[in-house]
Amino acid sequence: MLLIIVALVALSVGRYPLSATTITRFLLHPLHLAPAVNATDQQVLFALRLPRVIAAAAIGAALAISGTAFQAIFNNPLVSPDLLGVSNGAAAGAALAIILGYHSAGIQLSAFIGGLVAVTAAITIQRLLRTRGSLTLVLAGIIISGFMQAIIGLLKYVADPDQQLPSITYWQLGSLEKVTLANLGLNLPALLIAGVVLYALRWRLNLLSLDSLEATTLGANLRLEQGIVILCATVLTASAVCLSGTIGWIGLVIPHAARLVAGQNNAKSLPLAAIFGAIFLLLLDSLARTVSAGEIPLGILTGFIGTPLFVWLLLKKRVTLA
């Protein structure tokens, strides 16, 4: 219910405010239960607000789900979706597409490929080291993430300072300003499929969070099931970055908030994290559009709000950092 209320508020607020009556008529008109709204209101809602609200809810849920999944399979409460360098890999892919002069669809496709390349490289490093431990994969992800950051720095150095550099910087800060029904349609299927698969596997996450020997004894195929979870979480993160650029903290903070309410059972905390993530990003995006004359990048807001919120959650849960 809270998610629905927040979504309706997000549809109504902005530089062109709309009344609750207008929102109700817009939503009920396709069902022939209300008269149509005027052309201006319909254009604002259908072309601008509705894609943005759907994207905010989907991206917030996707990042929260992937964070919950990563923290479960690595049994580490401080793991986030960019663990394997996915976010930086996607940002590097987007930056390369901007340098090459690609349009919106090309930038999104390049970002998606960059995220997949990053996670593939991290897994390859783990296999070359011939170890299966989660710590090795974490270290490989840190290596790849640092390498992708170096690539982004190089691309920013050679970028045109008047045209390309601002676009790359804006992409890294994160925003939903450029979301349309077209690019939403390109990425939403991947978000839905990966999210549904992780939702179906939410019961297995409890098993995968156990010691490897114990999980294997209980019948888990660790390599296969962990691979599916990592792939789906990577697809969720890369698809989210394709739509909004890099948005931090959601995948780290929201799973803790969900577990604070639902407990350590991933079967309950994962869907709750999706709802919390959607609400959180909808609120932040509404704030970004209304708090000042110019739109504030979401990466800035998540940093300012996510940091104290995470400290509070750590104090509340008494998470052991040792």
Side-chain angles (χ1 to χ4, degrees):
M1 291 178 63
L2 181 59
L3 176 59
I4 294 173
I5 292 172
V6 171
L8 293 175
V9 171
L11 283 173
S12 64
V13 300
R15 296 187 184 92
Y16 185 82
L18 297 168
S19 65
T21 303
T22 301
I23 302 298
T24 303
R25 288 171 56 189
F26 173 76
L27 295 176
L28 295 180
H29 176 66
L31 302 176
H32 305 287
L33 298 177
V37 299
N38 63 60
T40 302
D41 292 346
Q42 184 172 357
Q43 179 67 17
V44 170
L45 283 167
F46 189 75
L48 299 177
R49 298 275 172 83
L50 188 61
R52 189 161 183 157
V53 167
I54 294 174
I59 292 168
L63 294 175
I65 289 175
S66 59
T68 303
F70 276 135
Q71 290 175 11
I73 64 172
F74 293 121
N75 197 21
N76 187 336
L78 300 181
V79 167
S80 60
D82 56 357
L83 166 71
L84 304 181
V86 181
S87 296
N88 285 328
L96 178 61
I98 292 172
I99 294 292
L100 296 176
Y102 290 172
H103 294 294
S104 178
I107 293 174
Q108 291 177 354
L109 178 61
S110 182
F112 186 79
I113 294 174
L116 293 181
V117 167
V119 72
T120 302
I123 294 174
T124 301
I125 291 177
Q126 183 198 34
R127 290 182 177 178
L128 290 175
L129 295 174
R130 297 181 181 179
T131 58
R132 297 184 181 181
S134 59
L135 178 60
T136 306
L137 189 57
V138 170
L139 294 176
I142 294 173
I143 293 171
I144 296 301
S145 182
F147 181 70
M148 291 298 175
Q149 285 181 337
I151 292 177
I152 294 172
L154 176 62
L155 292 174
K156 291 172 71 174
Y157 178 75
V158 301
D160 179 9
D162 295 325
Q163 298 291 333
Q164 298 170 339
L165 184 57
S167 298
I168 296 174
T169 303
Y170 193 73
W171 183 277
Q172 286 187 276
L173 291 175
S175 174
L176 298 176
E177 185 178 4
K178 297 182 180 180
V179 171
T180 63
L181 286 175
N183 55 32
L184 184 61
L186 291 174
N187 291 279
L188 198 57
L191 287 170
L192 289 175
I193 293 172
V196 168
V197 172
L198 283 182
Y199 180 78
L201 292 174
R202 67 193 187 280
W203 304 98
R204 306 293 292 179
L205 291 177
N206 294 325
L207 185 59
L208 296 176
S209 64
L210 299 175
D211 178 78
S212 57
L213 179 60
E214 186 177 1
T216 303
T217 304
L218 292 173
N221 188 335
L222 284 180
R223 175 171 291 187
L224 176 62
E225 295 184 32
Q226 284 183 350
I228 293 174
V229 171
I230 290 173
L231 176 62
C232 291
T234 300
V235 170
L236 285 174
T237 304
S239 299
V241 173
C242 287
L243 284 171
S244 63
T246 305
I247 300 177
W249 288 102
I250 294 178
L252 178 62
V253 174
I254 299 302
H256 286 275
R259 284 193 292 269
L260 192 64
V261 176
Q264 297 298 318
N265 186 355
N266 291 291
K268 296 181 179 180
S269 63
L270 187 139
L272 189 62
I275 296 174
F276 283 1
I279 292 173
F280 185 68
L281 193 54
L282 278 170
L283 289 173
L284 285 187
D285 185 55
S286 301
L287 185 64
R289 292 186 282 117
T290 56
V291 74
S292 66
E295 184 172 325
I296 301 176
L298 290 173
I300 296 175
L301 288 179
T302 54
F304 276 115
I305 297 176
T307 302
L309 179 60
F310 188 52
V311 171
W312 178 80
L313 287 171
L314 289 177
L315 294 174
K316 189 76 174 178
K317 294 184 65 177
R318 298 293 193 272
V319 174
T320 302
L321 299 180

